[in-house]
Amino acid sequence: MSNKVIHAIYNDDDVLLHAVTETRSAHHHIEEIYTPFPVHGLDKAMGLAPTRLAITAFLYGLVGLAFATTILNYIMIENWPQDIGGKPSFSFIQNMPAFVPIMFELTVFFSAHLMVFTFFMRSKLWPFKKAENPDVRTTDDHFLMEVALHGNEEEAIEFFKNTGAVEVKVIDKEQ
């Protein structure tokens, strides 16, 4: 089964943002936008929901903090207590000021590293994955908006040319 999509190519990010707004107001469905760099405000112009990755980063930080607290309590209090600088070694709470830097570092470590894996899984960026970029110019200096084609093909091409597209192509996309 195949369906047709329009590839509208732009050479300016401000023109692209304006075109996205016009496209959404004309009730066309934007499949994807390929850009060579992040475009500020594009997610809001496309109507995308806010990301929940920050929540997972916070949860991963809590996991790191719990791991640090558990490992420090086991190593420094229960398993092998040592007299370092005359500090008491029979209570975690009394030694906690000395443990704060380690707890902070493990919180950041867990959050950062687990977020990288989460981002790769969420973006489906597996090792040796073939690139899905439909036009190689979008890695350099052009912006591509992929829109599902429903209705008259000539009207759609004219609409996207009027939005400032430098090139408009109709592609038969395999699903």
Side-chain angles (χ1 to χ4, degrees), residues 93-154:
I93 297 297
Q94 289 177 331
N95 288 304
M96 196 157 103
F99 297 158
V100 167
I102 298 166
M103 292 164 58
F104 172 77
E105 291 298 329
L106 282 175
T107 300
V108 172
F109 180 85
F110 270 67
S111 182
H113 286 77
L114 291 175
M115 280 303 298
V116 168
F117 294 124
T118 302
F119 174 75
F120 284 148
M121 287 185 339
R122 175 67 179 91
S123 301
K124 297 178 182 145
L125 292 173
W126 313 114
F128 310 111
K129 183 178 190 258
K130 189 175 184 213
E132 296 177 0
N133 197 352
D135 193 330
V136 75
R137 293 177 291 177
T138 60
T139 62
D140 187 24
D141 61 351
H142 283 76
F143 306 87
L144 185 139
M145 179 168 44
E146 187 176 274
V147 181
L149 179 62
H150 301 293
N152 191 352
E153 191 173 307
E154 287 80 22

Side-chain angles (χ1 to χ4, degrees), residues 40-52:
H40 181 69
L42 187 60
D43 52 344
K44 288 186 181 182
M46 288 179 66
L48 298 177
T51 181
R52 294 183 303 265

Side-chain angles (χ1 to χ4, degrees), residues 78-93:
E78 294 176 16
N79 187 31
W80 195 11
Q82 298 177 25
D83 184 9
I84 301 173
K87 293 183 177 140
S89 59
F90 52 85
S91 170
F92 181 81
I93 297 297

